[in-house]
Amino acid sequence: MSEGTGLCPLCHEALMEDGQCLYCTTFEAAETKLLDAEGRRKAPPDGQTITLVESENGTRFPVKTARVRIGRDRSNQLIIRDDVYISRHHSFITFQEGHWWVEDLGSRNGTLLNDAHILQREMLSPGDKLTIGHTHFYVEQP
């Protein structure tokens, strides 16, 4: 099945080539936990949103929804096309259980949090350094 030819019965997003929904579940190879469908996920309350600030040029990416997928592909919510070390679907940033989390989606080059590769979902905090491919961000909270 080609990407975009089928829709997930839970969240109605396009299914990936293997028939899995990237929004409702991440790749089994990454050994990540099942994620809620977007419709059941609560948006972060005012004052708990975060902003990713690109270290090199200061570009700001406000994160105001419960989940943001980052990667080179145009279907991501945060698209970074000028870094060839970023996978098409590289990582998720998720607001859950009152906290922000980051998880790698089985990307080739991994995701780093404070210069350490993450192997499982990790909590994000203001001031953290997030590296996706060769792009560096720091986390701010208004």
Side-chain angles (χ1 to χ4, degrees), residues 42-51 62-66 93-101 123-126 139-142:
K42 292 182 181 180
D46 290 339
Q48 282 196 290
T49 60
I50 60 172
T51 300
V63 181
K64 297 180 179 181
T65 59
I93 293 182
T94 307
F95 183 80
Q96 190 173 21
E97 302 163 359
H99 300 283
W100 286 100
W101 304 85
M123 192 180 302
L124 280 175
S125 299
V139 179
E140 280 187 354
Q141 191 166 32

Side-chain angles (χ1 to χ4, degrees), residues 52-55 59 61 70 78 80 86 128-132 135-139:
L52 297 180
V53 181
E54 192 173 346
S55 297
T59 303
F61 300 96
I70 302 170
L78 177 50
I80 306 170
I86 294 178
D128 280 346
K129 178 183 174 185
L130 182 64
T131 304
I132 299 171
T135 304
H136 307 284
F137 300 94
Y138 61 91
V139 179

Side-chain angles (χ1 to χ4, degrees), residues 38-124:
E38 196 66 36
R40 294 183 283 170
R41 190 173 296 285
K42 292 182 181 180
D46 290 339
Q48 282 196 290
T49 60
I50 60 172
T51 300
L52 297 180
V53 181
E54 192 173 346
S55 297
E56 184 176 310
N57 59 23
T59 303
R60 303 173 69 78
F61 300 96
V63 181
K64 297 180 179 181
T65 59
R67 181 178 309 131
V68 171
R69 188 176 61 200
I70 302 170
R72 286 191 342 253
D73 192 85
R74 63 184 171 91
S75 66
N76 295 300
Q77 291 78 33
L78 177 50
I79 303 166
I80 306 170
R81 293 190 180 187
D82 59 349
D83 184 342
V84 297
Y85 294 94
I86 294 178
S87 297
R88 287 179 50 234
H89 302 288
H90 197 101
S91 60
F92 268 134
I93 293 182
T94 307
F95 183 80
Q96 190 173 21
E97 302 163 359
H99 300 283
W100 286 100
W101 304 85
V102 61
E103 62 186 303
D104 188 78
L105 297 175
S107 66
R108 178 176 293 229
N109 294 303
T111 301
L112 284 75
L113 180 60
N114 298 320
D115 297 319
H117 276 91
I118 61 171
L119 302 175
Q120 59 189 9
R121 186 172 85 140
E122 296 285 343
M123 192 180 302
L124 280 175

